[in-house]
Amino acid sequence: MKSRLLALSTLLLAASASAISIAGSVQGSAPADLRVSAWAVTAFGQPVAELVSAPVNGKTFQLVLPESAPPARALVPVDNRLSWPGLIDFGKATASAQAAELKLFTYRDVNGDGKRQENEPLKEVRAQVGKGELFVVWASAPVTVTASRNYSADLNKGWNVMMVEVRGAVVVKPVDAKTSISLNIQ
């Protein structure tokens, strides 16, 4: 099957420090009914709640994350049960906090109603940032998470858009509005 790339850029909206928009454009062809969606996931990466979705119109789309907290069923304690990208051998959290990881999925909106139905399969898409992976997480309080291989993620209260690069050491750093992000859809 031919691969298609969606190029994304993240934009921080001026209206609020916690409102984040992920906008993108499709390079190559995409089905006319393709939607990109952002889901809060369990600690094991299973989708729990769709927070937002958007159609791919022409060759573009835009997701605006809600300012409110993800649903309680998606929140997990920031502790050794986390399975975030690059996080191996959890070290510590500097504060008590709850978090919810967000992952991107695509689906074909076959009935055109703008909402995902059970018969519209989700396909997880990994967003790449250079040689790293996009990591989006909501935190209930400011917290720094450390782990082996120099993993250190400084999270603000609310949504955090990060890049995780795993090499000898793990690099975790914030993504800004000028960072090039791409989704590989196969």
Side-chain angles (χ1 to χ4, degrees), residues 100-160:
E101 184 180 359
L102 180 133
K103 290 192 176 191
L104 299 179
F105 292 82
T106 59
Y107 64 91
R108 295 190 63 183
D109 186 14
V110 294
N111 67 358
D113 69 351
K115 299 176 186 173
R116 182 184 169 267
Q117 309 300 319
E118 288 298 318
N119 66 333
E120 297 169 338
L122 284 176
K123 180 178 181 183
E124 182 178 349
V125 287
R126 298 211 180 262
Q128 299 298 307
V129 180
K131 294 181 182 177
E133 181 177 330
L134 182 69
F135 173 56
V136 181
V137 64
W138 182 90
S140 64
V143 61
T144 297
V145 177
T146 58
S148 64
R149 297 176 60 192
N150 294 334
Y151 185 102
S152 181
D154 295 319
L155 304 177
N156 297 315
K157 181 178 180 177
W159 290 108
N160 296 267

Side-chain angles (χ1 to χ4, degrees), residues 3-9 22-32 34 36 54-62 183 185:
S3 260
R4 292 179 297 275
L5 291 179
L6 294 180
L8 299 174
S9 60
I22 301 173
S25 62
V26 176
Q27 298 173 3
S29 62
L34 187 68
V36 177
V56 176
N57 288 320
K59 293 204 172 245
T60 64
F61 71 91
Q62 181 174 353
L183 290 178
I185 301 176

